[in-house]
Amino acid sequence: MPWIGRPRPGTPWGIPSRRVALTRVTTLPVTDAEWAGDGFVLPPTGSGSSAAVGLALGTRRLAVLEARESWPPGRALELPRATGLVALHPSLRCAAVLGPGRIEVVGRAPEGGPVETPARAWTRHTQALGFDVTGEGLWASGLQDGRAAVRVLDARTLSDVAGTEAGLQLDTPALGEDDLDGLHEWMPHPRLPVMGVSVSLGQEGTWLTFVERGDTGLVRGAAVASVEAPFYPAGFLPDGSGFIGVGGTWVRRWTYPEATLAAEFLLPEQGTLATGYTGLVMAHAVLVAVEDLLAAGEWYLLQLDPLTLRPVCAWELPLSTEAVTSVHLLPGGFLLSPEDGQLWRLPDEVLSER
């Protein structure tokens, strides 16, 4: 049985609470580019990779900011004039870009030389684009015959990987024209050519399907169907043994590859606290952004044990819920307010193992 916890009465959380300071990173707001709906693009992160995030600085520029790097970052990718979707390669040197009728790679090759990948004509309906942790597979998900489906391209040639040309349908309901796209999100495994493909259909729920790129094509793995309870796939644990989802009133851990529910934390039922469907998964902690709606009117970071999801600490942030209406926790310990493009860095005391 999964462990289910609730904050105990008495103190705001029934757990230690500490106020922390934030360091403002940007001198100029991060813009909300069309191809980065919340102003950022995440690369897949492996066990030995440096945490990084791509930040939209306009419709044609992607700044690549690594953990603890000063602003402005020393690396940026110039994008074509008409850019629909962007996927940042795990090498952080290049990105795949989807524009009207074509897909191409911009920047430098992973080895550091010029990109030699030829552009490819592309007319398939595509809602999301992303690399797996190997950097060899470029994944595309969209609609095919009324169902969400996924394909994989060879990152060096942009040709279909053998056995994947027909695409693989995901474990989602049939989609009507009113919900043609849904919200597609990636959750790459940190060590394997496996992608968690999440499709959320508003309040109808979220369907997360695991797909492996094998020698003979795509292999569908376990799936999680959360009907009428949408959630954000926050990411895998660093060893790949499980993954975390953040819903509107709960945080859950499932095992991988079985996708068996192993732990759950429930937020109070009174409605005084609500998550923004955002979380950061680290080796020693899971951080979840929580807003206090009725008391102090401030944002908290709820720190949970990554295995049991028992609450450990509530970090009080100096951010008013009136001034900052939503936040995103990003790799490297960055905190982004997508409405106005403000970016902060969390202090070491929150990010370090204790």
Side-chain angles (χ1 to χ4, degrees):
M1 290 292 293
W3 182 85
I4 299 178
R6 300 178 187 276
R8 298 185 301 273
T11 62
W13 288 98
I15 54 177
S17 179
R18 296 181 58 187
R19 192 169 184 83
V20 298
L22 297 175
T23 302
R24 186 181 298 276
V25 177
T26 56
T27 55
L28 295 174
V30 177
T31 60
D32 184 3
E34 180 181 355
W35 42 262
D38 292 308
F40 63 91
V41 177
L42 302 180
T45 302
S47 56
S49 302
S50 173
V53 61
L55 299 169
L57 298 185
T59 57
R60 298 184 60 189
R61 187 173 175 84
L62 181 71
V64 181
L65 182 66
E66 295 190 68
R68 308 193 182 285
E69 187 177 2
S70 61
W71 187 269
R75 191 180 321 181
L77 299 175
E78 300 298 326
L79 306 177
R81 183 178 302 276
T83 297
L85 294 172
V86 173
L88 184 57
H89 191 274
S91 70
L92 307 181
R93 295 177 179 270
C94 60
V97 179
L98 181 65
R102 61 185 275 137
I103 188 171
E104 60 185 306
V105 178
V106 299
R108 306 286 290 180
E111 299 79 10
V115 169
E116 298 180 352
T117 304
R120 172 183 174 177
W122 189 265
T123 58
R124 297 165 176 168
H125 174 270
T126 304
Q127 179 67 8
L129 199 67
F131 288 95
D132 59 39
V133 73
T134 68
E136 299 173 359
L138 176 61
W139 297 63
S141 66
L143 194 68
Q144 176 179 308
D145 300 326
R147 299 290 293 270
V150 64
R151 288 182 170 85
V152 182
L153 307 181
D154 185 305
R156 292 185 177 273
T157 63
L158 295 185
S159 59
D160 292 282
V161 171
T164 72
E165 298 89 344
L168 180 70
Q169 286 195 342
L170 304 176
D171 291 335
T172 59
L175 306 179
E177 292 189 5
D178 292 339
D179 50 12
L180 178 66
D181 296 333
L183 178 61
H184 293 223
E185 294 174 296
W186 303 114
M187 189 171 66
H189 192 281
R191 300 183 179 185
L192 303 172
V194 171
M195 187 71 80
V197 191
S198 172
V199 180
S200 295
L201 303 177
Q203 292 304 310
E204 294 182 30
T206 297
W207 287 261
L208 173 64
T209 307
F210 291 99
V211 182
E212 180 177 3
R213 177 168 53 88
D215 295 335
T216 59
L218 299 179
V219 180
R220 183 189 290 107
V224 173
S226 182
V227 181
E228 298 182 354
F231 69 91
Y232 170 68
F236 278 93
L237 299 176
D239 65 359
S241 64
F243 57 96
I244 302 294
V246 180
T249 58
W250 48 260
V251 183
R252 292 173 180 165
R253 178 177 69 84
W254 291 270
T255 62
Y256 181 82
E258 304 86 359
T260 301
L261 182 63
E264 182 177 42
F265 178 80
L266 299 179
L267 292 168
E269 297 175 347
Q270 293 82 0
T272 58
L273 301 161
T275 72
Y277 294 89
T278 178
L280 178 62
V281 181
M282 300 182 292
H284 68 285
V286 174
L287 297 178
V288 180
V290 179
E291 51 182 328
D292 184 343
L293 299 177
L294 299 182
E298 294 183 339
W299 284 93
Y300 292 78
L301 292 183
L302 178 60
Q303 179 178 335
L304 306 175
D305 179 270
L307 294 181
T308 66
L309 296 186
R310 295 178 183 269
V312 176
C313 185
W315 301 96
E316 304 173 24
L317 302 177
L319 301 176
S320 166
T321 57
E322 294 184 358
V324 178
T325 57
S326 68
V327 298
H328 280 284
L329 292 167
L330 304 178
F334 298 110
L335 190 70
L336 174 69
S337 172
E339 286 81 11
D340 56 12
Q342 297 185 79
L343 186 73
W344 300 272
R345 179 178 281 114
L346 297 173
D348 289 341
E349 60 181 326
V350 177
L351 300 175
S352 61
E353 296 188 37
R354 298 188 303 127

